[in-house]
Amino acid sequence: MSVHPNSNPLFGGYRPIAGARDTYFDDAGQPRREAARVVELLDDLGVREFTDRQKLADATFLRGGITFSVYSDRRGAERIFPFDLIPRVISAERWNGIEAGLQQRIRALNAFLSDVYGDQRILREKIIPPDLVLGAKGYLESMRGIRPPGGVHIHIAGIDLIENPEGEFLVLEDNVRTPSGVSYVLENRTVMKKVFPRVFSESHVRSVEEYPLRLVEALAAVGPAPDLEQGTAVLTPGPFNSAYFEHSFIARRMGVPLVEGRDLFVENDRVYAKTTLGPRRIDVLYRRIDDPFLDPEAFRKDSLLGVPGLVRAYAKGNVALANAIGNGVADDKGIYPFVPEMIRFYLSETPILGQVETYVCARAKDRSFVVDHLDQLVVKAVNEAGGYGMLIGPQASRRERAEFRDKISADPRSYIAQPRIELSTCPTWTSKEVAPRRVDLRPYVLTGRETWVLPGGLTRVALVEGSYVVNSSQGGGSKDTWVLQDSNR
């Protein structure tokens, strides 16, 4: 690494992890082309100034109440989402490929959902084993034959990507039910612009601020009423939900009401909100409530969160729900291995984005390999999220591996396994120095009349040294993601 005039440059002692692709420095320790200017500008600040600005950023998050909750935390307290000021930088050229791949993937997943809740052609032709789909926890047979308004099932998607040692972006997971985290993308950017105005302006970063407007437009495009007459609202489980900050943030940015189930009622198969001026028709609900709790008439009878009759109104085409009911079958981890085949089947295209090799434990051959190689694999429960229900074999004890061997044997459909991929790393402030920490990336994709990808997304970072788990619920934090402007645009 070249000597910098600053006596204590930020990256002066930085050393990448061997075997992982560092997003800032190559194997020779030289800044990558897309990150070179950011390295120079941050080195100019030096360690002391950077530390002061990190404290300023932390205070801003604290004052702004930018929080999340962890249900398993007995203290029941909200936490400030840890935020690291060193951004992740992605070149315009690399982003163009990611964007095209995400748009392609969402088109295929939407076609898959339309098919499995319709003619089920992909099952008849055995492209995907029917028992895997029909036996998925997220598949709802009661939704078959119901076409969502506009024919769109996936209005908002969060697709998790990792970068392997060769620098290839791979899809790790699809989130097409109620993906969270975009509020942190927008807040991270606001803080970065305040704390690092010069670094930001001189780096020529693409904007993320249009997301709320794009979301409003995407939802309006699928509503049953003309655009100018749309009644849109965000449906939240309430303030005790772990993502309540995000629900209120998004509603505020969209300029629409934030409602709970008790604020709504259904009459003549139409949805209305209770207001001080009387009932107000609701045509589009951006719902942040899981399927089982949406409507006690259709699903869980004990749900106090949903709206009785909502599914009837939805089935009649009188209200659009974003995302559609039953999407869980499309982000079931047991279905994930077949997405490349969906792309070929529905789009007649070659997949642009790769994904991680996956063993489906429901298949005898795969299951046999997995139980014999647990010390080499990462095992995931197909219906868990947030890093829960997972075994990282190379780091697990014999007892932990034995427990998972028994779980897989007892319920093979509930597990998949993958080789552990060495995640890419990004320089991260550790309160004492800058050190490499593993990261992933969750871009957000909106679909209405067209499919649009937010330029950037949520970079999640494993703040614990040596950790591969980036989830906020297990000690992870976030970074701003800087997609550089295309000089040709």
Side-chain angles (χ1 to χ4, degrees):
M1 209 173 298
S2 59
V3 178
H4 197 276
N6 190 310
S7 59
N8 197 9
L10 189 66
F11 299 101
Y14 184 75
R15 296 293 179 270
I17 295 175
R21 185 186 192 277
D22 194 83
T23 58
Y24 267 53
F25 298 95
D26 62 22
D27 293 341
Q30 296 302 310
R32 298 189 185 278
R33 179 174 53 84
E34 62 268 27
R37 183 56 178 157
V38 176
V39 170
E40 182 181 5
L41 291 166
L42 291 179
D43 268 346
D44 276 345
L45 286 175
V47 172
R48 179 178 296 179
E49 182 65 23
F50 180 89
T51 317
D52 289 343
R53 299 196 190 194
Q54 180 72 63
K55 291 177 181 175
L56 176 61
D58 293 341
T60 301
F61 273 75
L62 183 63
R63 288 195 303 270
I66 302 167
T67 62
F68 71 100
S69 301
V70 180
Y71 291 130
S72 60
D73 191 336
R74 293 181 180 178
R75 295 168 297 179
E78 291 189 333
R79 303 179 187 177
I80 303 302
F81 196 16
F83 175 58
D84 184 70
L85 272 184
I86 301 174
R88 183 193 197 141
V89 182
I90 301 176
S91 69
E93 181 182 10
R94 300 193 79 207
W95 181 254
N96 290 342
I98 294 171
E99 182 178 59
L102 292 173
Q103 290 171 332
Q104 178 193 62
R105 193 174 183 93
I106 293 302
R107 290 200 311 273
L109 286 170
N110 196 72
F112 167 71
L113 286 165
S114 293
D115 187 20
V116 296
Y117 288 114
D119 294 338
Q120 299 187 340
R121 188 166 59 95
I122 200 168
L123 305 186
R124 291 201 312 274
E125 298 190 26
K126 304 294 176 63
I127 305 298
I128 304 177
D131 57 321
L132 277 181
V133 175
L134 303 180
K137 183 179 179 181
Y139 175 73
L140 300 177
E141 176 63 28
S142 60
M143 291 296 104
R144 190 171 178 195
I146 296 175
R147 184 177 185 271
V152 178
H153 290 261
I154 306 170
H155 311 82
I156 305 113
I159 308 297
D160 292 345
L161 305 177
I162 61 172
E163 193 177 6
N164 66 14
E166 292 71 45
E168 180 186 10
F169 278 96
L170 305 174
V171 176
L172 182 66
E173 194 169 295
D174 301 295
N175 298 281
V176 298
R177 281 175 282 182
T178 56
S180 62
V182 76
S183 61
Y184 302 116
V185 175
L186 302 177
E187 286 286 25
N188 289 354
R189 178 58 55 85
T190 298
V191 171
M192 288 293 280
K193 290 168 76 172
K194 289 178 179 177
V195 175
F196 284 151
R198 179 176 172 236
V199 179
F200 183 83
S201 65
E202 293 192 20
S203 298
H204 305 293
V205 182
R206 287 185 63 183
S207 171
V208 297
E209 281 78 6
E210 64 183 302
Y211 179 88
L213 177 59
R214 290 276 191 168
L215 178 55
V216 169
E217 291 175 345
L219 298 184
V222 298
D227 289 359
L228 294 179
E229 299 175 19
Q230 295 286 356
T232 301
V234 176
L235 176 61
T236 176
F240 295 106
N241 184 266
S242 62
Y244 183 73
F245 162 78
E246 173 155 292
H247 305 167
S248 58
F249 176 91
I250 290 295
R252 190 167 61 250
R253 287 291 188 94
M254 290 174 67
V256 303
L258 179 69
V259 298
E260 297 180 37
R262 60 188 177 183
D263 300 319
L264 304 175
F265 67 95
V266 175
E267 187 174 284
N268 297 324
D269 296 333
R270 299 184 187 278
V271 182
Y272 296 89
K274 304 169 188 175
T275 78
T276 56
L277 300 176
R280 181 193 177 200
R281 171 81 183 272
I282 298 295
D283 302 292
V284 181
L285 272 178
Y286 176 15
R287 52 87 171 219
R288 299 299 294 261
I289 296 178
D290 293 337
D291 288 350
F293 301 96
L294 266 180
D295 181 349
E297 286 185 7
F299 302 119
R300 287 186 54 156
K301 309 300 182 187
D302 60 345
S303 174
L304 300 177
L305 303 176
V307 185
L310 180 61
V311 172
R312 280 189 286 107
Y314 172 70
K316 291 284 183 66
N318 292 331
V319 65
L321 297 178
N323 285 322
I325 301 174
N327 276 14
V329 66
D331 61 17
D332 183 301
K333 294 181 180 66
I335 302 300
Y336 157 91
F338 300 94
V339 178
E341 293 307 313
M342 294 180 200
I343 293 171
R344 296 184 180 95
F345 183 72
Y346 294 116
L347 308 182
S348 300
E349 296 175 2
T350 300
I352 296 170
L353 291 171
Q355 55 184 54
V356 180
E357 180 184 10
T358 302
Y359 301 94
V360 179
C361 293
R363 296 189 292 204
K365 183 177 179 181
D366 284 11
R367 180 167 67 254
S368 176
F369 179 85
V370 170
V371 297
D372 289 342
H373 296 85
L374 283 175
D375 59 332
Q376 302 169 29
L377 300 170
V378 176
V379 181
K380 299 177 181 179
V382 299
N383 293 306
E384 293 284 355
Y388 295 106
M390 182 167 70
L391 175 83
I392 301 180
Q395 297 177 345
S397 65
R398 283 188 180 181
R399 180 180 59 81
E400 289 170 330
R401 291 198 292 268
E403 287 175 358
F404 262 78
R405 188 175 291 111
D406 291 342
K407 289 179 180 179
I408 292 168
S409 298
D411 186 12
R413 171 63 180 84
S414 292
Y415 294 93
I416 55 112
Q418 299 169 329
R420 187 179 72 176
I421 304 294
E422 183 56 77
L423 305 182
S424 60
T425 61
C426 189
T428 303
W429 181 247
T430 66
S431 79
K432 295 180 180 179
E433 61 181 358
V434 175
R437 292 290 185 266
R438 294 178 176 91
V439 294
D440 75 355
L441 175 64
R442 176 176 289 182
Y444 294 87
V445 188
L446 301 178
T447 300
R449 291 192 180 93
E450 59 182 9
T451 297
W452 175 82
V453 182
L454 176 71
L458 185 67
T459 288
R460 300 183 298 181
V461 53
L463 296 175
V464 177
E465 184 176 3
S467 176
Y468 285 77
V469 182
V470 300
N471 306 82
S472 57
S473 56
Q474 300 199 43
S478 72
K479 292 173 171 284
D480 196 9
T481 307
W482 288 7
V483 173
L484 303 186
Q485 294 175 12
D486 190 339
S487 58
N488 296 323
R489 290 188 177 182

